[in-house]
Amino acid sequence: MTDGRTSGRPVEHGFPHLDTVREAVNALYRRLTPTTLRTYDTSVAPGDVAFSDLDDLHLGVQRVARVMVRHLRLPDARMIVSFRGMEHAANVELAAGPEYFIELNDRFRTHRRDIGAALAHEVMHVHLHRIGLSFPGTRGNEILTDTATTYLGAGWLLLDAYREDAVSSQKLGYLTPEEFGYVLAKRALAFDEDPSIWFTSPQAYTAYEKGLALAREDTRRPPLKT
C-alpha cells in the first residue's frame, strides 16, 4: 500500500471525497464500536514523534514507528523500516505478521519532521488489515486509511505536513487539506480536543478552520428520517 504525495504540484482543495470520508467514519464506529473509539481520546503527542537532525536516522525512525504501534494498540506487531528511492511517500507490505516491512521515500532522510506522518499512515494500513476493515478499490481504501489515521489521533501529523507557498507545495495522503481538517474537527468535537495547538504549518491551521466550519454544520443538520 502507498500513500499519495504532492510535491511541487498544485494541491487539490475542497471536499471532493466527503461522502467517502463520512462513510469511513461510520465504518470505524461500526467496526470498533463507540466504546473502543473512546480509548483513542488522546492524540499522539508532538514530543513523542519529534525527530532532530542530530538523532540517529535508523534508531529515530524505529522509535517513531514504535510510538505509532503503541498508539494503535498493536503490541505484537514489529515494524521494520527502511528507505529507498520511489515515487510515493511510503509503502508497507501487508502480511500475516508479526513483522511488517515499511519503506520510506529517500527524501525523508533529510525531511525528518514528516516521518511521523508517513509512518502513521502506513501503520494504520497494518491496523485496518488486522481488523479486517477495507473499502473497495485503492483510492477508497487510501481515503479510509487517511480518515482512520486522523480520527484515531495520529492524522494531525498528516495535515501538519501540508505546506504551500507561491513556488512550492507538499501534501501527504489522499485527502485534501480541508478534508483532513474536517476529520480532525469531527474528532475534536467528539473528544473535546484542540489539535490546532500542535500545528507548525500555517496552511494546516487554515485548512483545519475550514474543516471545522463544515463539521459544525453537521451538528446542526437534522437526523435522517427512517
Side-chain angles (χ1 to χ4, degrees), residues 51-72:
F51 202 151
S52 166
D53 288 341
L54 300 178
D55 293 339
D56 179 273
L57 177 64
H58 293 283
L59 291 178
V61 78
Q62 290 298 151
R63 172 182 58 81
V64 176
R66 287 194 296 272
V67 168
M68 297 305 166
V69 166
R70 288 195 303 269
H71 181 75
L72 295 176

Side-chain angles (χ1 to χ4, degrees), residues 71-93:
H71 181 75
L72 295 176
R73 320 287 197 268
L74 299 171
D76 60 338
R78 296 190 297 273
M79 305 296 155
I80 312 302
V81 186
S82 61
F83 295 84
R84 73 174 177 89
M86 55 182 167
E87 178 184 359
H88 294 285
N91 180 72
V92 62
E93 290 185 19

Side-chain angles (χ1 to χ4, degrees), residues 114-135:
D114 298 325
I115 283 177
L119 288 176
H121 179 98
E122 300 308 322
V123 176
M124 179 55 75
H125 269 305
V126 173
H127 181 52
L128 294 175
H129 174 70
R130 293 179 72 163
I131 66 174
L133 181 57
S134 64
F135 277 4

Side-chain angles (χ1 to χ4, degrees), residues 2-226:
T2 57
D3 67 330
R5 174 170 62 92
T6 300
S7 183
R9 300 188 298 272
V11 173
E12 185 177 25
H13 287 280
F15 301 93
H17 314 110
L18 188 58
D19 288 345
T20 307
V21 168
R22 285 171 170 159
E23 184 182 351
V25 173
N26 289 335
L28 283 175
Y29 273 92
R30 289 194 301 269
R31 183 63 182 84
L32 294 180
T33 76
T35 299
T36 300
L37 285 173
R38 290 297 308 179
T39 68
Y40 292 93
D41 60 350
T42 302
S43 289
V44 171
D48 289 344
V49 293
F51 202 151
S52 166
D53 288 341
L54 300 178
D55 293 339
D56 179 273
L57 177 64
H58 293 283
L59 291 178
V61 78
Q62 290 298 151
R63 172 182 58 81
V64 176
R66 287 194 296 272
V67 168
M68 297 305 166
V69 166
R70 288 195 303 269
H71 181 75
L72 295 176
R73 320 287 197 268
L74 299 171
D76 60 338
R78 296 190 297 273
M79 305 296 155
I80 312 302
V81 186
S82 61
F83 295 84
R84 73 174 177 89
M86 55 182 167
E87 178 184 359
H88 294 285
N91 180 72
V92 62
E93 290 185 19
L94 296 177
E99 290 186 342
Y100 298 88
F101 296 89
I102 295 175
E103 294 176 316
L104 296 181
N105 191 297
D106 266 336
R107 72 189 182 90
F108 286 113
R109 293 176 181 271
T110 54
H111 291 78
R112 299 183 179 187
R113 63 182 287 185
D114 298 325
I115 283 177
L119 288 176
H121 179 98
E122 300 308 322
V123 176
M124 179 55 75
H125 269 305
V126 173
H127 181 52
L128 294 175
H129 174 70
R130 293 179 72 163
I131 66 174
L133 181 57
S134 64
F135 277 4
T138 298
R139 192 170 187 82
N141 213 43
E142 294 291 348
I143 291 170
L144 168 65
T145 303
D146 277 343
T147 302
T149 305
T150 305
Y151 202 80
L152 295 186
W156 69 267
L157 291 159
L158 285 161
L159 179 54
D160 197 42
Y162 161 55
R163 291 179 286 278
E164 188 172 19
D165 57 34
V167 296
S168 65
S169 60
Q170 173 185 282
K171 183 184 75 68
L172 298 181
Y174 280 69
L175 299 186
T176 68
E178 292 78 15
E179 288 168 340
F180 274 120
Y182 171 77
V183 182
L184 273 176
K186 297 286 281 189
R187 172 186 167 80
L189 295 172
F191 300 145
D192 192 24
E193 184 181 67
D194 180 10
S196 66
I197 61 175
W198 304 318
F199 294 150
T200 61
S201 164
Q203 292 85 11
Y205 185 85
T206 300
Y208 175 70
E209 287 294 303
K210 292 179 179 178
L212 180 59
L214 182 58
R216 284 175 171 158
E217 280 186 26
D218 285 355
T219 66
R220 295 190 288 268
R221 293 164 61 189
L224 293 176
K225 294 182 179 180
T226 57

